[in-house]
Amino acid sequence: MTTGPELVTAALLRTWPLPEPQPGKRGRGQVLVVGGSPSTPGAAMLAGVAALRVGAGVLGLAVAASVSGPVAAAVPESSVLGLPELDGGTPNGRLADRVAGCAAVLVGPGIDGPGVARDLLDRVVDHAPPDAPLVLDAFALGVLPGSPSVDAVRGRCVLTPNSSEADRLLDGIDDDADQAQTAAQIAGKYEAVVSYRAAVATPDGRTWSVPAGHAGLGTSGSGDVLAGAITGLLARGADAAQAACWGTYLHAIAGDRLAARVGRLGFLARDLVDQLPVVLTETEA
């Protein structure tokens, strides 16, 4: 018998507790965010800080070399690697070294072209530890169909598509499908956990729905915050489904809190980042 998605509530998440934080910053996991073109370095910054806000211990940002200095100054909690390939050059060994030491890697925020995205995704897949989960967002999702890396990421990825990215991943969204069904179709096709709007799905057909959030979450940088939060939870030791459900819930509730205080429209993605640890603490209490 087919059943609908399970509702993700605070009560449900308390029965699915996150792993206990390990002592020391490296015990809480090292995150690497690969993205940040010269025109959109803020996307990688938002994602990285979101990962720290949900409890990841160490953050690295791999961004375009031309903006690496300002990014390092703006996010002093992070180490920053400048990547010449974001300007069309050849990937270097420094990225491979950074990827190899990470507990979770996010690829995509702020990448501004498919060629760069494909190059970086291939490099990350080649060098990430086999047990390190990957989160793909933005252009890293757009290049996944037909990518040489698509088979290598099966079973180890969380995908965070928006509507247009979901359409590309499926080569067209079924007009009759709801969010959970669309998420499940993507999850089955790519053997990945999927966070799509208010729905989460796994390749084995499990689905969840977050009964929170609103149109105000459709603001510039909001998806980067979501992807970063999920990556941070993965780095702490959550499994992919757990990280996606917790991250999607925290993101939505943060938006609801801001809607009550600021208004349904007009709050910024950076405001969501600041709400994450508060909502996380309240949910775990």
Coordinates of all heavy atoms in Angstrom, one line a residue, residues 10-11 13 63 73 91 136 144 150 153 189 204 240-241 247 265 276 284:
A10 N 9.2 18.8 15.0 CA 10.2 18.8 16.1 C 10.1 17.5 16.9 O 11.1 16.9 17.3 CB 10.1 20.0 17.0
A11 N 8.9 17.0 17.1 CA 8.7 15.8 17.8 C 9.3 14.6 17.1 O 10.0 13.8 17.7 CB 7.2 15.5 18.0
L13 N 11.9 14.7 15.0 CA 13.3 14.9 15.0 C 13.9 14.5 16.3 O 15.0 14.0 16.4 CB 13.7 16.3 14.5 CG 13.4 16.6 13.1 CD1 13.7 18.1 12.8 CD2 14.0 15.7 12.1
V63 N 37.5 28.9 -3.5 CA 36.9 30.0 -4.3 C 37.8 30.5 -5.3 O 39.0 30.2 -5.3 CB 36.3 31.1 -3.4 CG1 35.3 30.6 -2.4 CG2 37.5 31.9 -2.7
A73 N 39.0 37.5 4.6 CA 38.8 38.6 5.6 C 37.3 38.6 6.0 O 37.1 38.9 7.2 CB 39.1 39.9 4.9
P91 N 42.9 22.7 -13.0 CA 42.9 22.4 -11.6 C 44.3 22.0 -11.0 O 45.1 21.4 -11.7 CB 41.9 21.2 -11.5 CG 41.1 21.2 -12.7 CD 42.0 21.8 -13.8
L136 N 25.6 18.3 -3.6 CA 25.6 19.0 -4.9 C 24.5 20.0 -5.0 O 23.3 19.7 -4.7 CB 25.5 18.0 -6.1 CG 26.5 16.9 -6.1 CD1 26.4 16.1 -7.4 CD2 28.0 17.3 -5.9
L144 N 25.1 17.4 -13.8 CA 25.1 16.0 -13.4 C 24.6 15.0 -14.5 O 25.2 14.0 -14.7 CB 24.3 15.8 -12.1 CG 24.5 14.5 -11.4 CD1 25.9 14.2 -11.0 CD2 23.6 14.5 -10.1
V150 N 28.6 10.9 -12.8 CA 27.3 10.5 -12.3 C 27.3 9.2 -11.6 O 26.6 9.0 -10.6 CB 26.2 10.6 -13.4 CG1 26.4 9.6 -14.5 CG2 24.8 10.6 -12.8
V153 N 29.0 9.1 -8.1 CA 28.4 9.8 -6.9 C 27.2 9.1 -6.4 O 26.6 9.4 -5.4 CB 28.0 11.3 -7.3 CG1 29.2 12.1 -7.7 CG2 26.9 11.3 -8.3
K189 N 16.4 8.1 -9.6 CA 17.2 8.1 -10.8 C 18.7 8.2 -10.5 O 19.5 7.7 -11.2 CB 16.7 9.3 -11.7 CG 17.5 9.5 -13.0 CD 16.9 10.6 -13.8 CE 17.7 10.8 -15.1 NZ 17.1 11.9 -16.0
D204 N 15.4 4.5 -1.7 CA 14.6 3.3 -1.4 C 13.1 3.7 -1.3 O 12.3 2.8 -0.9 CB 15.1 2.6 -0.2 CG 15.0 3.5 1.1 OD1 14.5 4.6 1.0 OD2 15.5 3.0 2.1
A240 N 22.8 10.6 5.5 CA 22.3 11.5 4.5 C 20.8 11.9 4.7 O 20.4 13.0 4.6 CB 22.5 10.9 3.1
A241 N 19.9 10.9 5.0 CA 18.5 11.1 5.1 C 18.3 12.0 6.3 O 17.5 13.0 6.3 CB 17.7 9.8 5.2
G247 N 18.2 19.4 8.1 CA 18.6 20.7 7.5 C 17.4 21.4 6.8 O 17.3 22.6 6.9
L265 N 8.2 38.7 3.5 CA 9.2 39.0 2.5 C 10.2 40.1 3.0 O 9.8 40.9 3.8 CB 8.5 39.5 1.2 CG 7.4 38.6 0.6 CD1 6.8 39.3 -0.6 CD2 8.1 37.3 0.1
L276 N 19.8 29.6 12.5 CA 20.0 28.2 12.5 C 20.3 27.6 13.9 O 19.7 26.6 14.3 CB 21.0 27.7 11.5 CG 20.6 27.9 10.0 CD1 21.8 27.5 9.1 CD2 19.4 27.0 9.7
E284 N 16.3 20.4 19.6 CA 16.9 19.3 20.3 C 16.4 19.3 21.8 O 16.5 18.2 22.4 CB 18.4 19.4 20.3 CG 19.0 19.1 18.9 CD 20.5 19.2 18.9 OE1 21.0 20.2 19.4 OE2 21.1 18.3 18.3

